[in-house]
Amino acid sequence: MNCLFALKSLYALNGVIAVLLYLPQIAKAWKDRSHALSLSLVTFGGWSLGSLITALYASFLVRDHIFTAISLGNMAGSGAVFFIAASNRLASRGTSSIS
């Protein structure tokens, strides 16, 4: 039983660290003057959707709160990068058509 608790604890710690690792990418996307063109909307959108599906699975089938929270954290991180990059690109379209 101690091994399972240790494994679940390591999973939770790894999940928290993984979610925190989105923060530098979010900051970089926010400050990017090239309208975040180096970021793949397909990739970050796909990760967001996949994390949402995983969170639903974790919540309704596995019924594991830690698994669900980590999946939602990943969805929030990848979703933030996706929305920042997408909004930067949409905003640049509006300004480039005026020039």
Side-chain angles (χ1 to χ4, degrees):
M1 195 60 130
N2 287 343
C3 288
L4 290 178
F5 178 76
L7 183 59
K8 190 168 187 172
S9 298
L10 284 173
Y11 175 77
L13 178 64
N14 180 65
V16 169
I17 291 169
V19 170
L20 291 174
L21 289 174
Y22 280 106
L23 295 176
Q25 190 66 57
I26 291 168
K28 186 174 181 176
W30 191 265
K31 295 176 185 176
D32 191 348
R33 299 291 174 227
S34 70
H35 309 294
L37 293 174
S38 64
L39 299 172
S40 170
L41 293 180
V42 172
T43 298
F44 282 99
W47 284 341
S48 299
L49 181 61
S51 295
L52 173 61
I53 292 167
T54 302
L56 292 171
Y57 175 81
S59 179
F60 293 112
L61 276 87
V62 179
R63 299 182 191 274
D64 186 316
H65 299 297
I66 293 173
F67 188 16
T68 302
I70 290 168
S71 299
L72 290 173
N74 282 316
M75 183 191 72
S78 56
V81 174
F82 173 85
F83 283 113
I84 291 168
S87 62
N88 283 347
R89 292 179 195 182
L90 288 173
S92 73
R93 286 184 181 177
T95 58
S96 65
S97 63
I98 296 172
S99 305

